[in-house]
Amino acid sequence: MSSSPNNLFGDIITDLGAALQGGLGLAASGNLHPGKTSMFEPVHGSAPPLAGKNVANPMGAILSAALMLDHLGLRPEALAVEAAVQEAVSSGQGTQEIGGSLGTRETGDYIAAHIRRTQP
């Protein structure tokens, strides 16, 4: 695998940051380009080896959506998503690597249901 030095160092830093916050499955990222198109994605990328197995943690992708909402000026909506993810982690309603027993789909469904229950 070939990588530029700038990207290599960025990858190392984001992986270290992810470890500090609970793992790659929780790490969100946003590549902001003011006045242009910005991109939001989980730090872990697409995780091809986990595709279709219902074991990948969707929280990094969900939190990336929260970053995008905030960037678009939808702060209350972003906070609702963040709160739902926090509640899921706190109550053990996530995937195995963060202490839960749910699959990818069930974790996403739990978070979505929490948002629907708590938002007007």
Side-chain angles (χ1 to χ4, degrees):
M1 173 187 334
S2 163
S3 181
S4 72
N6 291 339
N7 189 44
L8 174 64
F9 297 135
D11 285 348
I12 292 169
I13 290 169
T14 56
D15 287 356
L16 288 172
L20 292 173
Q21 74 178 36
L24 281 174
L26 292 170
S29 72
N31 297 306
L32 305 180
H33 192 229
K36 302 280 185 173
T37 301
S38 296
M39 183 179 72
F40 301 86
E41 64 181 340
V43 170
H44 62 66
S46 61
L50 304 180
K53 297 180 180 174
N54 199 35
V55 296
N57 187 339
M59 293 180 181
I62 293 167
L63 289 169
S64 295
L67 287 175
M68 181 183 65
L69 290 168
D70 190 43
H71 180 71
L72 294 171
L74 300 169
R75 184 79 175 138
E77 291 83 353
L79 291 173
V81 172
E82 291 172 4
V85 171
Q86 182 176 352
E87 194 280 329
V89 172
S90 297
S91 63
Q93 299 299 311
T95 50
Q96 286 186 335
E97 88 284 355
I98 61 167
S101 61
L102 302 179
T104 307
R105 286 183 296 277
E106 294 80 14
T107 300
D109 289 346
Y110 182 88
I111 292 167
H114 184 273
I115 293 168
R116 283 192 296 273
R117 277 194 315 274
T118 60
Q119 298 305 302

